[in-house]
Amino acid sequence: MLSTRALRRAAQRTQLSSKFRTRYNSTVAASQQAPPPADGSLPGLATSPLLLGTREAALRTPGLSWLEEDEPSPGGIVSGRETRKMNTYQAIRDAMSHAMQRDDTAVVFGEDVAFGGVFRCTMGLAEEFGRERVFNTPLTEQGIAGFGIGLAAMGHTAIAEIQFSDYIFPAFDQLVNEAAKIRYRSGGQFNVGKLTVRTPSMSVGHGGLYHSQSPEGYFIGAAGLKVKNPFSSEWFKKVVVPRGPIQAKGLLLASINDPNPVIFMEPKILYRSAVEQVPTSAYTLPLSSAEVLTPGADLTLLTWGTPIYTAHNAIELLKNPPPSLAKHVPESVRSASIELIDLRTIVPWDVETVIKSVEKTRRLLVLHEAGAIGGVGSEIASVVTERCFLKMEAPVRRVTGWDAPVPLVYEKFYIPDAVRVMDALVETLTYILFAQFYQARLAMATYPPNVLNPTVFEVPEPPEEFGQDGGKFYRCYDALAEEIDEDMTNGLKEQLDGLLIFAGLFAGVNSAFLALTLPLLSADPSDDTNALLQKNNAILLQLASGRNDTPLAARPLPSESFSPPNSVFTVNVLFSLSLTFALISSFLAVLGRQWLVYYRKRSGGGTDRQRWEQLKRFLGAERWRLELILDDVLPFLLQTGLIIFCISLLLYLYYLNPSLFMVVGVPMYLGLAIFLASAACT
């Protein structure tokens, strides 16, 4: 027989075996299902259509210009050219190899570059060109920049590497105060146009506060970096950010060949994740020239570097939102046409291309990883607002990183993602809400026909697809808002004039009755006069009869013993209160009339008035003070004053003649009761 311990062990083995079979079966079933995509529902960098994966597409890159020594035999831009699959760091290494082959004075230096660098961008260059031309430097960014300035000033082509753009700040003084100003300072005798400073930039997902910054905004506002060079048509310094291997190679070669110092910022996350077919020959791409990646007509989305792919994913989300986001994306904006622009060169940026696009789309969204305060987006928004203010349908929107150090574990939430960009797109496209327009349209019906007749206006329905009517809806809205505003203003003037006349007449009637009742509060002087005359007559009669020994009784004057009736005092108080209400109503009516005149002067007129100003006036946001006076204050004052006047008039009639009060007072009381009942119901 088995012992109790043996039975317990057998039961445990059976239970463990059952658990193992259950877990094994569930694991097998899960392995047979298709795994979720690594990048969620959005396309990753490897499958982005913005990356050119074919030879023909790569060789037809817009703006591509072959260097003269490598021009092939006639046969077209594609024939005779070869491409090779490269990621971004390989394309950068290829560009530096071409530059060193073509220029014997070119040198590459920086921290750890001799054995390839942190990101392997200089791998093999030391073995190919020798340690004299590719060498390491001490860990001093200020020294690297200063050494590069000296080399370039002596005629060498200096290609310096700052290991991370986060550490470029010690070199800030050398770059801003020396490299950017030496040509101006020397009157054109010296320049460092052959200096190119390469530095990895932007986030990588886990770089934290010292390895994920985007410092390009610091250079766009530095003195000297935006001043035109008085000795040539070029700028003192340029800041360039590529988006992929083809762009990196062409823009880096253009930066090295440019006669001005260039800061070349390379997005770190694209070093290995962005792969394209890159031409093996030497070529350049134009600096200070933005590229329109996807044309559009409803909104301009401007960005550079890594956020290019975030922006493209956001556009795809807008067109085809997943079920979890579909309720937040109106149907009317899913067909919006978004123009995506890669700025490429930050200093000086391509103003004309951006302005031309914004004038066409009437909306702009700027996307970058750096914080909003002092970022490049602030400068772009300022210039676009200055040049396109009267043509904009919505204010310039910026989607940026938060104004805080880049957090290590929360870097995913710091960097703008596709959902944030899509939300900004929806908000910008629906800036003028159709619901507000229809609320105002319904409010039109509440005005009297002689003030505004809603049937006169034929308002079109909003288009089912955004922008398909070419802006006809908004143009009609502009004209409608202007005409409605004018009619409403005239109607308010008529109401104020009527209230002013009524309040003036009411005050006059109150003053007349008050003039009748005020004398009743004091004794009549004629009574004292008559009493004195009677006393004098009595004395004269005594003197005339020859008797002066009978003293006359001393009687008080009527004014000394006069006491007004309580009803007369109450009537005067009520008439005075009613007159006060009438005067206040008249004053408010005059004040409202003057405010309306000021409102029309301030809102002005003409075709250049902005739509948002019109919308605010159309919805009554600017008339709330006047409407408060018309709808609430003045009616309350006048109704209260009228009630008090009726009560005081009835008391006055009762004081004069009770029988007259019965004839006139009863109908007046009935009318007052009906008026109070109707006022309470409404």
Side-chain angles (χ1 to χ4, degrees):
M1 293 181 65
L2 295 174
S3 64
T4 304
R5 179 178 297 177
L7 290 173
R8 187 182 298 113
R9 288 178 177 175
Q12 290 177 350
R13 285 196 298 271
T14 303
Q15 186 177 6
L16 290 174
S17 176
S18 176
K19 288 182 178 180
F20 174 77
R21 285 195 300 271
T22 302
R23 181 177 298 176
Y24 173 78
N25 292 335
S26 62
T27 303
V28 171
S31 64
Q32 293 175 352
Q33 298 176 359
D39 295 324
S41 59
L42 300 175
L45 277 173
T47 59
S48 174
L50 299 179
L51 296 174
L52 306 180
T54 63
R55 172 178 175 272
E56 289 74 13
L59 294 176
R60 289 186 169 87
T61 299
L64 188 146
S65 177
W66 307 106
L67 295 180
E68 292 78 9
E69 296 179 7
D70 296 321
E71 282 294 335
S73 57
I77 189 174
V78 176
S79 62
R81 302 291 183 183
E82 296 296 333
T83 62
R84 184 164 58 89
K85 188 177 181 180
M86 301 182 192
N87 57 26
T88 302
Y89 91 79
Q90 292 170 334
I92 291 172
R93 192 262 181 214
D94 195 38
M96 288 189 286
S97 176
H98 278 292
M100 298 184 76
Q101 288 176 1
R102 298 166 58 84
D103 185 358
D104 293 336
T105 67
V107 293
V108 176
F109 55 93
E111 300 167 5
D112 304 328
V113 299
F115 50 87
V118 173
F119 297 101
R120 299 298 182 260
C121 292
T122 57
M123 183 181 295
L125 289 180
E127 290 77 13
E128 183 177 355
F129 298 101
R131 300 280 176 174
E132 296 81 9
R133 299 181 63 188
V134 182
F135 52 88
N136 295 330
T137 64
L139 303 182
T140 166
E141 286 76 14
Q142 184 178 13
I144 295 172
F147 180 69
I149 292 172
L151 275 179
M154 294 296 101
H156 285 268
T157 299
I159 307 173
E161 178 182 305
I162 304 294
Q163 197 168 80
F164 286 91
S165 64
D166 309 66
Y167 302 128
I168 203 171
F169 300 108
F172 199 76
D173 176 67
Q174 290 291 322
L175 295 174
V176 171
N177 281 331
E178 303 300 335
K181 298 179 175 65
I182 191 170
R183 182 179 291 165
Y184 175 82
R185 180 183 179 186
S186 65
Q189 298 182 32
F190 300 97
N191 71 84
V192 291
K194 291 189 174 184
L195 172 64
T196 301
V197 179
R198 292 181 42 254
T199 179
S201 181
M202 297 190 173
S203 68
V204 70
H206 47 77
L209 68 166
Y210 287 135
H211 295 84
S212 288
Q213 298 182 74
S214 299
E216 64 268 18
Y218 289 95
F219 294 97
I220 198 171
L225 295 182
K226 293 178 62 181
V227 180
K228 271 282 190 169
N229 180 2
F231 306 106
S232 74
S233 60
E234 297 296 327
W235 288 61
F236 279 128
K237 182 177 291 183
K238 297 179 179 177
V239 179
V240 182
V241 183
R243 70 171 184 272
I246 295 177
Q247 298 289 318
K249 180 177 179 179
L251 292 174
L252 181 55
L253 280 173
S255 301
I256 295 172
N257 295 332
D258 193 83
N260 297 278
V262 178
I263 299 177
F264 194 83
M265 295 185 171
E266 304 158 3
K268 294 187 289 289
I269 200 171
L270 302 182
Y271 274 138
R272 288 175 171 79
S273 57
V275 179
E276 289 182 303
Q277 289 289 333
V278 181
T280 56
S281 303
Y283 64 92
T284 61
L285 292 172
L287 301 178
S288 301
S289 176
E291 181 181 356
V292 179
L293 300 180
T294 57
D298 295 319
L299 184 143
T300 300
L301 179 49
L302 179 65
T303 185
W304 53 90
T306 307
I308 287 287
Y309 305 97
T310 304
H312 185 267
N313 288 340
I315 295 173
E316 295 301 319
L317 272 181
L318 183 70
K319 294 179 179 178
N320 302 298
S324 58
L325 296 176
K327 60 182 180 181
H328 303 291
V329 184
E331 292 287 345
S332 58
V333 302
R334 297 185 186 182
S335 58
S337 177
I338 310 298
E339 183 156 291
L340 179 60
I341 298 180
D342 181 8
L343 193 59
R344 298 197 292 191
T345 303
I346 309 302
V347 181
W349 59 285
D350 190 356
V351 178
E352 297 306 323
T353 298
V354 176
I355 294 299
K356 181 179 179 181
S357 174
V358 173
E359 287 179 345
K360 175 179 64 174
T361 63
R362 307 177 303 282
R363 300 171 183 85
L364 173 63
L365 189 149
V366 184
L367 169 65
H368 57 73
E369 291 187 1
I373 298 177
V376 179
S378 301
E379 172 65 18
I380 295 174
S382 174
V383 174
V384 170
T385 302
E386 290 173 359
R387 307 254 314 248
C388 303
F389 180 72
L390 298 178
K391 300 178 181 178
M392 299 289 286
E393 299 281 0
V396 179
R397 179 65 187 271
R398 291 176 295 161
V399 180
T400 66
W402 308 114
D403 291 307
V406 183
L408 179 60
V409 294
Y410 299 114
E411 187 168 320
K412 173 182 175 62
F413 306 102
Y414 177 91
I415 304 302
D417 58 10
V419 176
R420 277 181 62 190
V421 179
M422 183 206 69
D423 181 65
L425 290 173
V426 172
E427 183 176 341
T428 306
L429 288 168
T430 60
Y431 181 70
I432 298 180
L433 297 177
F434 295 147
Q436 290 181 327
F437 176 82
Y438 283 116
Q439 288 175 5
R441 189 180 177 191
L442 292 175
M444 292 161 49
T446 62
Y447 285 85
N450 59 344
V451 177
L452 175 67
N453 186 5
T455 60
V456 174
F457 308 103
E458 296 180 0
V459 183
E461 296 294 329
E464 294 182 0
E465 295 187 7
F466 189 84
Q468 70 175 3
D469 62 344
K472 178 182 177 182
F473 173 78
Y474 292 109
R475 288 194 297 272
C476 180
Y477 167 80
D478 285 342
L480 174 63
E482 176 66 24
E483 192 163 354
I484 288 176
D485 185 76
E486 184 69 28
D487 290 340
M488 285 184 175
T489 303
N490 294 333
L492 292 176
K493 287 180 182 178
E494 294 177 3
Q495 293 181 45
L496 280 172
D497 292 340
L499 287 172
L500 183 58
I501 294 173
F502 178 80
L505 293 175
F506 186 35
V509 173
N510 269 282
S511 300
F513 276 98
L514 194 60
L516 293 175
T517 57
L518 275 177
L520 300 177
L521 292 175
S522 60
D524 192 351
S526 61
D527 294 340
D528 289 349
T529 304
N530 292 331
L532 291 174
L533 289 174
Q534 290 177 4
K535 184 176 181 180
N536 291 335
N537 291 335
I539 295 172
L540 291 174
L541 287 173
Q542 287 182 358
L543 292 176
S545 61
R547 292 184 295 110
N548 193 20
D549 54 350
T550 304
L552 296 175
R555 290 182 297 179
L557 294 175
S559 60
E560 295 177 357
S561 60
F562 177 79
S563 178
N566 293 332
S567 59
V568 174
F569 181 78
T570 303
V571 166
N572 278 277
V573 170
L574 292 177
F575 272 133
S576 300
L577 187 60
S578 178
L579 178 61
T580 303
F581 278 102
L583 292 176
I584 294 175
S585 301
S586 301
F587 172 75
L588 289 178
V590 173
L591 184 64
R593 190 70 165 74
Q594 294 300 318
W595 189 91
L596 188 63
V597 172
Y598 163 75
Y599 158 72
R600 288 301 295 171
K601 285 183 178 180
R602 185 170 62 87
S603 60
T607 58
D608 290 337
R609 199 165 351 153
Q610 289 306 292
R611 182 168 291 107
W612 180 237
E613 252 337 285
Q614 293 176 342
L615 182 63
K616 287 196 297 183
R617 291 187 284 105
F618 180 42
L619 297 178
E622 289 289 338
R623 285 192 297 266
W624 69 269
R625 301 178 185 86
L626 189 57
E627 291 177 348
L628 177 66
I629 294 174
L630 283 174
D631 298 338
D632 298 327
V633 179
L634 278 178
F636 171 77
L637 291 176
L638 292 174
Q639 291 173 10
T640 306
L642 183 60
I643 293 171
I644 295 173
F645 175 77
C646 291
I647 295 173
S648 58
L649 180 61
L650 290 174
L651 292 176
Y652 180 61
L653 292 176
Y654 181 80
Y655 170 77
L656 292 178
N657 191 340
S659 60
L660 181 63
F661 167 76
M662 295 301 296
V663 175
V664 180
V666 173
M668 188 175 292
Y669 265 123
L670 291 176
L672 183 61
I674 295 173
F675 173 76
L676 291 176
S678 62
C681 294
T682 56

